[in-house]
């Protein structure tokens, strides 16, 4: 049992509200509204469970020592609880701050965390990368009484569709909700939009007037089309540009710096650029379109819709072979349609089901070599259960079952916005992610799932609702033009670039068996990137006894 409680808060925009019976720390898209709901003397459980929260967290330290912590159901903000041996319970909104409170010898990593990192690049809450630190789950209320040691977590917040929206009126509905979210989140505040030139970030900029566009660039030839797309969007929007170039030759040093800043190894390769740019950019509020694909259509969902329609054909004896030799030889992208049809036949919790493959790209069989098959299967079940507890899924056939779950897994489990928000804490920025808010999520869920993610009448265009809205607001934008995923060429970096000698500087993680070295250490394989980020984190952060708190962190003690 612990005799002290410390709240260690890094968010530069958090509100502190003192009442006659405790102190609240609030952070979210509408912190003033949360503050208005705090009534002195009211029952704390009623306050927390009645929060009108869009993307928010709240922590309360009562004068009696009781801790309450809340995280809204779509929050990109985090709450971590660390049990420091022979020390206090530490509550933090930044993983690095929580980890810095623990002695090195108490920073142990579980097999579940290893499996999650390799499978999903992010542990499933309450699991984190270190066993002594727990993450508060989406939509949950944590209570802790240091006098008795009693600690309980309850799910108090779930997602429900905001009515039912017809497909033909959905773009207008999205417009109304997006307008309200941005107006309430960005009143009289100078912002920059993180513009890639894709549909999501360009659409957001049409609501931001003449705000500057933050464009991230690198001199890697493979990234040139991404920079060109951003430049074209800037020209169509006619807005000023704040461009930052990151040299490919410095990629490893920027990767190391970003791991140091975050304090955990979960990394999308764009996070490396984001950290480098945030270090150099002017302090302020940055708008980001992360999460739009998960609400309105990931690129691979088109293939699933086509495969579902063609499934009776593939079921006929011999026709799959004929398809591969005939149609697919003319249309190479169609080669895997029979495979996708078979993935749609699997139970949604199966690691090889389309629902599980849609948001994640790691090979489960490879991860099982590092952990074991039972752990891998249990983690896929766990993440499905995590989503199903928070959203009542629709019914409508196998395509709907797999497509909706896959998109919800992406919405809840992809933590890019969380990474960039915590980088913002380090560099003095605030991140606004409208597509990760409750209101836009509920708006998306109100559209029937059969047409939520892809268009109709044979086009099966992913993200067709956002494209329709963008076409109305910026007619010159080529919504039919494909755009890249914005990923960096890390495979080429590893084979002949700035990551060539990374495993000479950092030993591969100990959990990698020798049999995997040829395919994943000596050459680039499905889990190589995850092994690189873990190895760098282990040596620079996990085993660093001098790990420091984020500069500017506020500490409240009880």
């Amino acid at each position: 049992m612990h005799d002290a409680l410390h709240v260690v808060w890094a968010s530069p925009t958090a509100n502190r509200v003192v009442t006659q019976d405790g102190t609240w720390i609030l952070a979210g898209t509408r912190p003033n509204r949360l503050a208005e709901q705090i009534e002195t003397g009211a029952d704390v459980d009623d306050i927390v469970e009645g929060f009108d929260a869009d993307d928010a967290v709240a922590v309360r330290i009562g004068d009696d020592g009781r801790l309450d912590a809340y995280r809204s159901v779509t929050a990109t903000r985090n709450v971590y609880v660390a049990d420091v041996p022979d020390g206090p319970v530490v509550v933090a909104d930044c993983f690095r701050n929580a980890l810095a409170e623990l002695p090195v010898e108490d920073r142990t990593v579980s097999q579940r965390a290893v499996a999650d990192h390799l499978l999903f690049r992010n542990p499933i809450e309450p699991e984190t990368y270190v066993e002594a630190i727990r993450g508060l789950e989406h939509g949950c209320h944590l209570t802790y009484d240091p006098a008795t040691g009693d600690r309980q977590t309850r799910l108090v917040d779930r997602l429900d569709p905001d009515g039912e929206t017809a497909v033909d009126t959905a773009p207008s509905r999205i417009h109304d909700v997006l307008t309200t979210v941005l107006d309430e989140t960005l009143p009289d505040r100078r912002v920059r939009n993180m513009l890639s030139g894709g549909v999501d970030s360009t659409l957001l900029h049409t609501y931001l007037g003449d705000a500057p566009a933050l464009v991230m660039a690198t001199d890697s030839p493979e990234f040139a089309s991404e920079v060109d797309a951003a430049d074209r969007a800037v020209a169509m929007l006619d807005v000023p540009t704040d461009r930052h170039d990151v040299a490919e030759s410095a990629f490893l040093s920027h990767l190391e710096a970003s791991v140091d800043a975050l304090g955990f190894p979960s990394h999308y390769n764009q996070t490396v650029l984001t950290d480098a740019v945030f270090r150099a950019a002017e302090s302020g509020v940055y708008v980001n379109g992360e999460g739009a694909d998960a609400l309105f259509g990931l690129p691979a969902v088109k293939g699933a819709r086509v495969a579902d329609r063609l499934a009776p054909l593939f079921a006929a004896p011999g026709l799959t072979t004929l398809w591969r030799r005939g149609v697919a030889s003319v249309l190479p992208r169609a080669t895997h349609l029979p495979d996708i049809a078979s993935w749609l036949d699997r139970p949604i919790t199966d690691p090889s089901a389309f629902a599980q493959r849609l948001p994640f790209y790691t090979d489960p069989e490879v991860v099982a070599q590092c952990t074991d098959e039972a752990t891998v299967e249990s983690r896929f079940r766990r993440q499905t259960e995590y989503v199903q507890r928070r959203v009542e899924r629709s019914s409508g056939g196998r395509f709907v079952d797999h497509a909706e779950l896959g998109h919800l897994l992406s919405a809840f489990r992809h933590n890019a916005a969380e990474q960039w928000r915590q980088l913002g804490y380090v560099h003095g920025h605030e991140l606004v992610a409208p597509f990760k808010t409750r209101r836009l999520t509920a708006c998306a869920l109100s559209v029937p799932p059969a047409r939520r993610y892809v268009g109709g009448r044979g086009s099966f265009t992913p993200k067709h609702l956002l494209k329709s809205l963008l076409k109305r607001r910026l007619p010159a934008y080529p919504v039919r033009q494909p755009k890249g995923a914005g990923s960096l060429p890390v495979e080429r970096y590893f084979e002949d670039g700035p990551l060539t000698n990374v495993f000479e500087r950092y030993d591969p993680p100990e959990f990698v068996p020798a049999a995997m070295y040829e395919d994943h250490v000596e050459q680039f394989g499905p889990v190589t990137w995850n092994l690189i980020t873990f190895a760098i984190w282990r040596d620079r952060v996990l085993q660093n006894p001098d790990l420091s708190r984020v500069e500017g962190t506020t500490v409240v003690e009880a």
Side-chain angles (χ1 to χ4, degrees):
M1 194 160 59
H2 303 266
D3 58 2
L5 174 67
H6 294 175
V7 176
V8 182
W9 215 252
S11 170
T13 58
N15 282 14
R16 184 169 174 175
V17 178
V18 179
T19 67
Q20 66 181 23
D21 53 4
T23 299
W24 293 79
I25 297 176
L26 310 170
T29 53
R30 297 179 290 179
N32 291 338
R33 180 169 297 191
L34 297 180
E36 291 169 1
Q37 293 179 262
I38 297 173
E39 300 178 18
T40 300
D43 182 80
V44 175
D45 290 344
D46 290 342
I47 293 173
V48 170
E49 295 170 23
F51 272 144
D52 180 14
D54 223 9
D55 176 354
V57 291
V59 171
R60 173 187 177 272
I61 302 176
D63 292 341
D64 58 358
R66 166 174 155 161
L67 166 72
D68 288 270
Y70 164 81
R71 187 183 183 202
S72 66
V73 71
T74 63
T76 62
R77 293 164 171 83
N78 299 85
V79 177
Y80 301 103
V81 180
D83 288 291
V84 181
D86 301 319
V89 170
V90 173
V91 181
D93 62 340
C94 173
F95 187 80
R96 180 177 131 189
N97 276 351
L99 188 62
E101 301 296 318
L102 290 173
V104 169
E105 61 270 19
D106 294 303
R107 301 174 187 172
T108 57
V109 181
S110 72
Q111 187 179 62
R112 294 184 301 276
V114 168
D116 288 351
H117 176 70
L118 297 179
L119 290 168
F120 318 126
R121 293 186 186 166
N122 185 35
I124 306 168
E125 293 97 332
E127 196 82 37
T128 75
Y129 281 101
V130 172
E131 290 183 287
I133 303 173
R134 309 299 281 172
L136 186 58
E137 300 167 65
H138 289 94
C140 281
H141 174 200
L142 164 72
T143 60
Y144 171 63
D145 184 348
T148 63
D150 182 53
R151 189 179 307 189
Q152 297 183 15
T153 301
R154 294 183 296 126
L155 180 66
V156 298
D157 193 6
R158 298 181 80 253
L159 268 173
D160 295 307
D162 188 5
E164 183 169 332
T165 303
V167 173
D168 57 348
T169 62
S172 296
R173 179 73 181 282
I174 295 167
H175 163 75
D176 292 343
V177 176
L178 186 55
T179 299
T180 301
V181 167
L182 289 171
D183 284 350
E184 293 184 357
T185 307
L186 304 170
D188 303 320
R189 298 170 77 182
R190 181 71 168 169
V191 303
R192 281 172 168 75
N193 182 40
M194 299 174 71
L195 184 71
S196 69
V199 169
D200 318 326
S201 62
T202 305
L203 175 61
L204 285 177
H205 212 121
T206 66
Y207 293 87
L208 300 176
D210 61 353
L214 179 76
V215 175
M216 300 188 294
T218 180
D219 55 357
S220 298
E222 298 91 336
F223 204 73
S225 61
E226 300 291 329
V227 179
D228 290 343
D231 289 342
R232 289 193 297 271
V234 166
M236 283 182 272
L237 292 161
D238 190 22
V239 294
T241 307
D242 182 12
R243 174 168 167 160
H244 294 263
D245 291 270
V246 180
E248 175 185 310
S249 59
F251 182 81
L252 178 55
S253 62
H254 287 305
L255 172 57
E256 292 168 332
S258 62
V259 172
D260 292 346
L262 282 174
F264 56 72
S266 179
H267 257 62
Y268 297 91
N269 52 58
Q270 278 278 12
T271 297
V272 182
L273 290 187
T274 303
D275 179 66
V277 170
F278 272 8
R279 288 176 187 273
E282 179 182 332
S283 180
V285 179
Y286 289 83
V287 180
N288 187 277
E290 163 64 19
D293 286 12
L295 297 185
F296 295 106
L298 292 158
V301 74
K302 178 177 181 178
R305 175 48 103 184
V306 175
D308 185 50
R309 293 290 179 90
L310 295 176
L313 176 68
F314 300 140
L319 282 184
T320 293
T321 301
L322 182 63
W323 177 274
R324 295 190 196 280
R325 293 176 178 172
V327 175
S329 64
V330 181
L331 300 170
R333 289 186 177 183
T335 302
H336 297 298
L337 288 178
D339 298 323
I340 297 173
S342 70
W343 300 339
L344 289 168
D345 282 332
R346 294 177 178 268
I348 56 174
T349 58
D350 189 310
S352 294
F354 179 76
Q356 305 291 341
R357 289 175 177 267
L358 178 61
F360 306 107
Y361 305 100
T362 305
D363 187 338
E365 293 182 3
V366 171
V367 179
Q369 295 179 52
C370 293
T371 55
D372 58 65
E373 190 172 317
T375 298
V376 168
E377 291 178 353
S378 71
R379 300 317 287 167
F380 277 100
R381 288 194 302 271
R382 168 65 184 139
Q383 71 163 356
T384 301
E385 292 165 358
Y386 188 96
V387 167
Q388 290 179 327
R389 289 190 66 206
R390 287 157 179 81
V391 188
E392 184 175 347
R393 295 191 301 108
S394 309
S395 59
R398 67 178 198 164
F399 170 76
V400 166
D401 289 346
H402 284 261
E404 185 173 55
L405 176 60
H407 283 84
L408 288 170
L409 287 172
S410 179
F412 278 101
R413 302 305 324 139
H414 277 182
N415 70 331
E418 296 174 25
Q419 292 178 20
W420 302 336
R421 183 176 300 287
Q422 294 195 38
L423 288 177
Y425 297 161
V426 175
H427 303 304
H429 306 311
E430 175 70 7
L431 186 81
V432 174
F435 292 111
K436 302 293 282 188
T437 59
R438 171 200 292 276
R439 283 177 288 179
L440 266 170
T441 304
C443 176
L445 292 177
S446 73
V447 180
R451 294 289 306 280
R452 185 185 306 158
Y453 308 116
V454 292
R457 294 185 292 276
S459 69
F460 302 145
T461 303
K463 217 154 48 177
H464 66 111
L465 298 176
L466 295 187
K467 291 176 180 177
S468 176
L469 178 56
L470 177 56
K471 195 65 178 177
R472 297 179 192 177
R473 296 184 60 79
L474 191 64
Y477 187 92
V479 294
R480 296 181 182 274
Q481 176 178 297
K483 179 191 174 293
S487 295
L488 297 169
V490 291
E491 181 172 355
R492 199 257 300 162
Y493 287 178
F494 183 79
E495 294 173 347
D496 184 27
L499 296 178
T500 301
N501 299 317
V502 67
F503 284 130
E504 294 178 14
R505 183 178 299 189
Y506 300 98
D507 291 336
E510 294 78 1
F511 54 73
V512 182
M516 286 182 58
Y517 269 52
E518 181 177 355
D519 292 336
H520 302 276
V521 174
E522 297 170 7
Q523 56 186 336
F524 197 87
V527 297
T528 302
W529 172 252
N530 297 17
L531 298 181
I532 291 170
T533 59
F534 192 96
I536 293 173
W537 172 71
R538 175 202 60 207
D539 289 2
R540 298 179 66 90
V541 178
L542 183 68
Q543 298 175 355
N544 179 5
D546 299 318
L547 185 65
S548 63
R549 291 175 179 165
V550 171
E551 187 176 348
T553 292
T554 298
V555 180
V556 179
E557 299 183 3

